[in-house]
Amino acid sequence: MSPLTEKDRPIIQLLLSTGTCPRCVLRFCCVGSQMLYRHPHEELLKDLQKFLRNSHEEEGSVCLDVSNPPCKRLRLEPGEEGASDRNCNVAIPHLPGNICNVCLGVLQEFCEAGFVKKVCQKVNSADYQFISFVFSVSLPPQLSVRERAAWLGVKQNLGLPFPEDDIIQLKEAYKWIIHPQLSEELGVPADGKVFFSAFFFLRHILSLLFLVLDSLFYFTLQSVFTRMAVIKALEKIKEEDFLKHFPCPPSSPKNHCDALEIQCNNGAVFVAGRYNKYSRNLPQTPWIIDGERKLESSVEELISEHLMAQFKADSFNFSSSGREDVDVRTLGNGRPFAIELVNPHRIHFTTEEMRRLQQAINDSSDKIQVRDLQLVTRSAIGRMKEGEEEKTKTYSALIWTDKAIQREDITFLDDIKELKLDQKTPLRVLHRRPLAVRCRLIHTMRSEYIDEHHFRLHLKTQAGTYIKEFVHGDFGRTKPNIGSLLNRTADILELDVESVDVDWPPTLAD
């Protein structure tokens, strides 16, 4: 807590006389007591006026806080005898209805109970689920100019060199005031680390301040009056140039800020699970080439449409532990996936509700099935990608050969362990993957003879191995390959992913 002292008297005197509101006065006096800013505007004004009228009989500091134990808190009650006699020889024209020349009413009108109720009505009408919140405000760029003018006014008129950074930031003071009121009205605590945010946008008409600023630094602003552009321009303006063009402290405005809009936003929710894909005509993600959609659906869409509807989200982002081609099935315990649901209105789901949601996805299509559907954290998704290249995957490939084979022609494949491959980027993915030679391992193989031209090969490989290319060789871009090992032309007819050995997400009981 920073009490007011005699050194603050000239600052209070100057700023009040030029139309600065009591809360901005406290900011420029570097008062850091949050509770003090929450006192009613009129009450603070009376206390500051009383402080100015107080004679030097009061030694030390005057505290305007009401913490326990209570400080000396001076009040000027209406009609108090002799109040006007104890004057500090300064006119104090600031009235409760005046618009502050520094904050343009941000710490006045937009801290009142009526405004707080409007904000809460807007938040409640948006129909979000949340257990805590943070309230953010977008301030007009003009406030940066006015704050600089007030600081230079104090510095030049009073000869008080104090760092501009010591002034309590307007946004900080505003949150000190508004957060407790919103918390009480909404019935949840304010917490800067939480998901739900309400964004409040303020604007103010462009004034002569900006026209002069633009003329001084047109090459910096380029007529785009964003807050950052104004701040950068102010950093380049010399104090003497600023004082020539701007009244310091700033003049009183005719209009206060206008509330443009209030936007609500919930932090993302993450859902994870495993999916099986049973169709050989279904891509993992929408298949669109040159703006034309090739297939009507995808794994991503079949899962996400149900999640989007239940979570009432604006959009989503899909990720998985690897991907299969459109004609490849994913069997076994499935492929791990995660979906980020952006700005969901609903965030609370019981275990039973998640189970019903999983069932709804599975009942909607015979092309996919989902298991272990659950809510996860953002950090947990990292486990899906951790050591992805070191993980193993198991495949089953149906292989054709041009020359007839006998059972004994392929049995040697079963004895090959840790076969090292050099795989140049396949031709079929060269348009979206950089050209490189990747070293991959085939850990084990097990063959099943079918007939003279067909056999099935079960492979356990390093994740990231191109199985199709390992079979047919990709015109010699993968070495060795099944064709070179058998000394004949080989091609792959069907491919299934039998397991993705990533221990995530946790398995759930049925």
Side-chain angles (χ1 to χ4, degrees):
M1 189 274 296
S2 303
L4 294 175
T5 62
E6 282 300 316
K7 70 179 179 62
D8 298 315
R9 186 182 296 274
I11 299 175
I12 299 171
Q13 183 174 315
L14 174 65
L15 293 178
L16 281 183
S17 67
T18 56
T20 306
C21 73
R23 290 179 176 125
C24 280
V25 171
L26 294 179
R27 292 196 303 115
F28 276 80
C29 291
C30 307
V31 175
S33 170
Q34 297 186 24
M35 290 299 299
L36 188 55
Y37 288 86
R38 296 167 189 163
H39 293 169
H41 178 269
E42 294 79 5
E43 190 176 288
L44 284 174
L45 180 59
K46 289 180 181 179
D47 287 336
L48 290 174
Q49 291 172 337
K50 180 74 175 189
F51 175 71
L52 288 182
R53 294 189 179 97
N54 186 45
S55 66
H56 290 286
E57 294 174 5
E58 291 284 348
E59 296 293 336
S61 63
V62 177
C63 176
L64 300 182
D65 207 347
V66 291
S67 57
N68 193 17
C71 314
K72 291 186 294 181
R73 186 156 179 267
L74 301 181
R75 292 178 179 273
L76 181 62
E77 302 295 342
E80 181 175 330
E81 293 294 332
S84 60
D85 296 331
R86 298 191 298 274
N87 205 303
C88 58
N89 299 321
V90 61
I92 306 176
H94 196 289
L95 300 174
N98 288 357
I99 301 170
C100 177
N101 65 334
V102 178
C103 73
L104 298 176
V106 173
L107 297 183
Q108 296 170 301
E109 177 182 350
F110 297 107
C111 295
E112 299 299 322
F115 172 74
V116 172
K117 286 187 178 295
K118 289 181 180 179
V119 172
C120 293
Q121 288 172 359
K122 173 71 173 180
V123 171
N124 290 329
S125 67
D127 192 27
Y128 280 91
Q129 283 184 345
F130 57 96
I131 57 174
S132 54
F133 74 95
V134 64
F135 187 71
S136 302
V137 59
S138 175
L139 298 173
Q142 186 181 150
L143 293 181
S144 300
V145 183
R146 288 185 170 273
E147 187 132 327
R148 172 63 63 86
W151 171 68
L152 283 177
V154 171
K155 183 178 179 182
Q156 295 295 320
N157 290 310
L158 303 179
L160 296 176
F162 69 98
E164 190 175 6
D165 291 341
D166 287 353
I167 301 170
I168 302 297
Q169 293 296 309
L170 176 56
K171 281 189 176 182
E172 192 75 9
Y174 185 66
K175 288 183 179 180
W176 290 347
I177 302 165
I178 201 73
H179 268 169
Q181 298 183 70
L182 291 172
S183 181
E184 182 177 358
E185 189 74 21
L186 293 172
V188 295
D191 184 353
K193 297 180 180 179
V194 299
F195 291 131
F196 183 74
S197 301
F199 296 94
F200 174 43
F201 296 87
L202 286 167
R203 73 173 178 184
H204 194 271
I205 57 173
L206 293 179
S207 69
L208 182 61
L209 289 174
F210 276 131
L211 299 180
V212 176
L213 190 67
D214 193 32
S215 66
L216 286 173
F217 285 95
Y218 64 91
F219 54 86
T220 300
L221 288 177
Q222 297 179 344
S223 299
V224 179
F225 298 111
T226 64
R227 186 172 181 81
M228 286 308 301
V230 170
I231 290 174
K232 289 181 180 179
L234 287 173
E235 291 173 352
K236 297 180 180 180
I237 298 177
K238 297 179 181 178
E239 289 184 12
E240 53 268 28
D241 292 333
F242 192 99
L243 289 166
K244 289 178 184 177
H245 293 89
F246 301 101
C248 298
S251 57
S252 296
K254 295 181 180 179
N255 303 290
H256 55 65
C257 291
D258 293 324
L260 274 181
E261 60 178 328
I262 297 172
Q263 293 181 356
C264 298
N265 186 73
N266 236 346
V269 170
F270 298 87
V271 176
R274 286 175 173 265
Y275 73 81
N276 290 108
K277 172 176 168 287
Y278 302 122
S279 171
R280 296 196 187 277
N281 194 36
L282 182 71
Q284 186 192 65
T285 55
W287 193 6
I288 300 173
I289 299 177
D290 296 330
E292 180 182 351
R293 188 174 187 120
K294 296 300 181 181
L295 293 171
E296 64 179 12
S297 191
S298 65
V299 173
E300 171 187 296
E301 292 166 299
L302 290 174
I303 298 174
S304 64
E305 63 179 344
H306 296 272
L307 298 180
M308 288 283 289
Q310 291 300 313
F311 284 81
K312 300 178 181 178
D314 289 351
S315 59
F316 71 91
N317 296 304
F318 181 91
S319 59
S320 64
S321 180
R323 60 186 298 135
E324 66 282 320
D325 291 339
V326 62
D327 59 348
V328 175
R329 298 186 302 177
T330 299
L331 309 176
N333 62 355
R335 184 185 297 276
F337 73 90
I339 293 182
E340 176 187 12
L341 295 156
V342 179
N343 192 26
H345 285 241
R346 186 182 176 191
I347 59 175
H348 302 304
F349 284 80
T350 65
T351 302
E352 180 57 33
E353 287 174 326
M354 291 300 294
R355 187 178 289 116
R356 289 200 297 267
L357 181 53
Q358 174 177 296
Q359 190 61 48
I361 295 171
N362 292 340
D363 291 342
S364 67
S365 174
D366 60 359
K367 295 182 178 181
I368 65 162
Q369 291 280 286
V370 170
R371 65 172 64 189
D372 301 330
L373 195 68
Q374 57 196 278
L375 292 168
V376 297
T377 62
R378 181 189 294 271
S379 59
I381 293 178
R383 299 174 195 168
M384 184 173 68
K385 298 294 185 181
E386 282 177 3
E388 197 171 64
E389 300 236 332
E390 284 69 45
K391 299 295 183 182
T392 60
K393 295 183 180 180
T394 305
Y395 298 89
S396 172
L398 179 60
I399 299 173
W400 167 88
T401 61
D402 64 336
K403 297 178 181 178
I405 57 172
Q406 301 302 317
R407 189 181 305 273
E408 55 270 19
D409 293 332
I410 61 173
T411 53
F412 77 96
L413 296 174
D414 300 1
D415 299 326
I416 298 177
K417 311 294 182 186
E418 305 301 326
L419 178 64
K420 293 182 180 180
L421 307 182
D422 288 330
Q423 290 199 301
K424 189 177 290 187
T425 305
L427 293 173
R428 62 188 174 91
V429 299
L430 197 54
H431 64 285
R432 56 184 171 89
R433 295 283 177 86
L435 179 62
V437 176
R438 298 169 178 84
C439 296
R440 294 291 184 262
L441 284 176
I442 305 293
H443 298 297
T444 61
M445 289 184 283
R446 180 172 59 85
S447 59
E448 289 182 9
Y449 181 80
I450 298 176
D451 59 37
E452 290 184 342
H453 292 280
H454 300 88
F455 70 98
R456 187 170 295 278
L457 187 65
H458 300 274
L459 310 96
K460 187 173 185 180
T461 75
Q462 179 184 354
T465 304
Y466 292 107
I467 304 302
K468 291 179 178 178
E469 282 66 27
F470 171 60
V471 173
H472 57 62
D474 196 23
F475 300 101
R477 298 170 71 86
T478 291
K479 298 177 180 179
N481 54 71
I482 292 297
S484 65
L485 292 173
L486 296 178
N487 195 27
R488 64 200 67 203
T489 300
D491 204 354
I492 187 165
L493 302 181
E494 291 179 355
L495 180 63
D496 293 329
V497 180
E498 294 190 331
S499 72
V500 180
D501 302 326
V502 177
D503 189 22
W504 189 90
T507 301
L508 301 179
D510 291 337

